[in-house]
Amino acid sequence: IEEKDAKIWNGTIKEKNVEDEWALVPTEVFSDKVKVIAEWIRGDEKYPAIFSNEFGKGKAYFFSSTYLLHPSNTGGISSIEQIENFYEYVLNSINSFQKIEFEINPWPFAKTSAFCISLNSKGNPEQYKMISDFLNNEKLTATVFIDSSLSQDQKNILEQNGNLTLQSGLFSGTDLSETEYSGVVREILMNEQLYGRKFNGLRFPKGKVNFWGLIYADEKGYAYESSIGTDQLMGFEGAVFPYNISVSQNSFYKSLNLLEICPAGKTDEDFFGKSESEKDYFEEDQRKDAQLFGNYLNDFYHYDVQKNNGLMVYSGSPQYTCFSEITMQPLRKLIDSLKAMNCWMTSLDEVTSFRNKLRDLSVEVNVSGNETDLKIILPAETEIKGLTFKFKSKPDKIKSSSNTDLKEINGMYYLSGDFRNGDIISLTF
């Protein structure tokens, strides 16, 4: 496959096959609206491999194989640079972007990253009290994934603290990755019945998801799940942005409404777990482990999250994070550093609500001379608080039916406000 004149892959995209390969390809182009970007070549024969077609107010792009936009470091054909080149090519082909370039910021209120605290239910009442007091003092919220192991004292502490949100950790707290449909459904329902509530989110025990559990949770109307740890430092697991999780099994495939919100790949147990297995966990050992955990959290935020404007979800439990004041230090120091990082300190439920509203958002762009109108299109009665647009250059004039706030952050301009369907932002550059 060779591209024609797009200069995305800079020549050959896919080298000549060593062995014959069958592929279903279009053989002729009948419309002058179709532009061929790259071609299959077989001797003197050429067939469209990548092409665009004008469609409505925009364009549709056709790829003959998913591997053409799949990164080569995980088995595809294209490099990261080539994939970025393609999307730049798409943007440059849209007339409105010739006048103004903007992005929807992934977080509200011009925040350039986001952070949540999530906890599993391990721990004694004293440790629960420590984390509860910490959250109250810091004015932070946290999500606790609870199971049947919770004592009445622990439950009382959780329910008395308005900064703690309770979600489902499933009933037994055991590895359910290989459990059949009826078993995992029973786990979900028994936890709901035990606590007499409909949960909004869930986390599978041991961080190991279950195919049928995901299907059932989606059908039951759960909004999110938070089990799949993300690690972009050492591999390609998870993501620092919420995404709608897809499931597949035996040729069955489905994209769920369930939002996957990945926690950090390593938890406090990975560093302080010896407190459970060793008879004496001395202060010197605690300090060494706390230093290692603190370094991991700092690296994870700066290299995985901050540089990608993503989300960090702290994953721990009162048992390990609150084993002592020493083991509390990594979380304390992380919070202190994030306060100076223009970071949205929030909860998993608020992240879910905001990102689902972004999913329903579209923006109609109309350009006339030097003025650009951005029209907000949302479902009726939906309001996105703090919706933020990101610009490369500063608008000279801003007119809007809603109050807006313009900030400059690291040479970029962020315009935020509370917007509803039909609101128009008029910008002059």
Side-chain angles (χ1 to χ4, degrees):
I1 302 176
E2 291 186 358
E3 68 178 327
K4 296 187 71 173
D5 56 2
K7 296 182 180 178
I8 297 169
W9 289 267
N10 292 315
T12 300
I13 302 173
K14 186 177 184 295
E15 298 293 343
K16 184 177 179 180
N17 289 343
V18 176
E19 299 179 357
D20 287 348
E21 177 182 334
W22 286 98
L24 187 65
V25 300
T27 57
E28 295 181 71
V29 176
F30 294 97
S31 170
D32 57 7
K33 292 183 179 181
V34 174
K35 179 179 179 180
V36 179
I37 300 169
E39 296 174 316
W40 294 93
I41 299 175
R42 184 176 66 178
D44 295 332
E45 302 171 31
K46 295 183 179 181
Y47 306 103
I50 304 172
F51 52 88
S52 65
N53 183 28
E54 293 182 18
F55 187 85
K57 294 183 179 180
K59 293 188 178 184
Y61 287 83
F62 175 87
F63 281 82
S64 55
S65 169
T66 58
Y67 287 109
L68 298 179
L69 266 191
H70 192 71
S72 56
N73 53 16
T74 56
I77 292 172
S78 302
S79 68
I80 298 298
E81 180 183 8
Q82 289 168 336
I83 294 172
E84 289 178 343
N85 287 346
F86 169 74
Y87 286 109
E88 288 292 337
Y89 177 86
V90 172
L91 290 177
N92 290 333
S93 71
I94 301 172
N95 290 332
S96 59
F97 282 91
Q98 295 173 7
K99 292 289 184 182
I100 175 177
E101 289 189 28
F102 73 91
E103 299 175 37
I104 303 295
N105 199 54
W107 313 114
F109 313 113
K111 298 298 183 180
T112 51
S113 61
F115 174 77
C116 303
I117 299 174
S118 68
L119 300 167
N120 299 323
S121 57
K122 283 186 175 181
N124 59 43
E126 182 181 349
Q127 292 162 341
Y128 270 67
K129 186 70 166 54
M130 281 181 68
I131 196 67
S132 178
D133 291 344
F134 169 75
L135 294 170
N136 288 339
N137 292 336
E138 296 290 340
K139 296 180 173 59
L140 292 173
T141 59
T143 301
V144 184
F145 293 94
I146 54 177
D147 55 35
S148 60
S149 67
L150 212 63
S151 70
Q152 188 60 49
D153 288 340
Q154 292 167 327
K155 186 178 177 182
N156 290 341
I157 294 170
L158 294 178
E159 292 180 339
Q160 290 167 8
N161 190 331
N163 291 325
L164 289 166
T165 301
L166 307 185
Q167 299 296 353
S168 178
L170 281 70
F171 184 79
S172 68
T174 58
D175 183 354
L176 301 170
S177 56
E178 301 299 325
T179 304
E180 295 296 326
Y181 179 81
S182 59
V184 75
V185 167
R186 183 169 62 249
E187 286 274 340
I188 293 172
L189 291 178
M190 287 179 67
N191 219 39
E192 290 180 352
Q193 293 168 1
L194 177 63
Y195 292 102
R197 64 175 69 201
K198 170 70 173 67
F199 294 107
N200 191 45
L202 76 161
R203 173 173 288 171
F204 288 90
K206 316 296 182 184
K208 297 181 179 180
V209 297
N210 177 285
F211 171 83
W212 292 114
L214 291 172
I215 293 286
Y216 184 71
D218 182 56
E219 293 173 348
K220 280 275 289 181
Y222 278 75
Y224 70 92
E225 94 94 30
S226 183
S227 301
I228 302 172
T230 180
D231 178 13
Q232 305 298 321
L233 291 173
M234 302 298 292
F236 294 97
E237 298 175 12
V240 293
F241 286 96
Y243 61 92
N244 285 93
I245 192 167
S246 301
V247 294
S248 61
Q249 183 170 286
N250 299 330
S251 301
F252 170 84
Y253 176 90
K254 186 178 183 182
S255 181
L256 307 180
N257 287 322
L258 199 65
L259 207 60
E260 177 65 37
I261 307 181
C262 298
K266 290 187 178 297
T267 71
D268 55 357
E269 185 175 1
D270 292 313
F271 294 88
F272 304 131
K274 64 182 67 173
S275 63
E276 190 174 21
S277 59
E278 295 184 6
K279 182 178 180 181
D280 296 311
Y281 188 29
F282 297 111
E283 288 188 5
E284 181 180 353
D285 294 327
Q286 293 177 39
R287 288 192 179 90
K288 288 179 181 178
D289 294 337
Q291 181 67 45
L292 291 172
F293 190 30
N295 291 343
Y296 167 78
L297 294 174
N298 185 68
D299 288 346
F300 181 84
Y301 176 75
H302 286 287
Y303 297 112
D304 270 9
V305 176
Q306 187 182 37
K307 77 171 186 175
N308 295 310
N309 301 118
L311 164 70
M312 178 175 184
V313 179
Y314 177 90
S315 180
S317 67
Q319 178 172 337
Y320 303 115
T321 292
C322 300
F323 180 79
S324 70
E325 282 296 329
I326 295 172
T327 60
M328 278 284 290
Q329 289 308 306
L331 180 58
R332 289 185 187 277
K333 291 179 179 178
L334 176 66
I335 298 300
D336 289 341
S337 66
L338 293 183
K339 288 178 180 178
M341 295 291 181
N342 190 37
C343 182
W344 184 34
M345 315 284 273
T346 185
S347 68
L348 293 175
D349 287 85
E350 288 181 338
V351 166
T352 301
S353 175
F354 180 77
R355 295 291 294 193
N356 280 339
K357 287 180 180 179
L358 283 192
R359 180 185 60 189
D360 296 331
L361 166 71
S362 58
V363 180
E364 185 177 289
V365 182
N366 294 292
V367 181
S368 177
N370 290 329
E371 187 169 286
T372 299
D373 288 347
L374 305 180
K375 183 178 179 180
I376 307 297
I377 301 173
L378 284 166
E381 308 304 321
T382 297
E383 180 184 40
I384 304 183
K385 291 186 177 295
L387 176 64
T388 303
F389 294 87
K390 182 179 175 181
F391 304 98
K392 289 184 177 180
S393 55
K394 183 179 181 180
D396 294 326
K397 294 180 181 179
I398 303 170
K399 293 188 296 183
S400 174
S401 51
S402 300
N403 292 329
T404 59
D405 180 40
L406 183 68
K407 295 180 180 178
E408 181 182 0
I409 304 171
N410 297 326
M412 301 293 287
Y413 296 89
Y414 294 77
L415 180 69
S416 58
D418 301 339
F419 296 105
R420 291 178 176 272
N421 182 49
D423 286 347
I424 296 176
I425 310 165
S426 296
L427 306 162
T428 303
F429 288 87

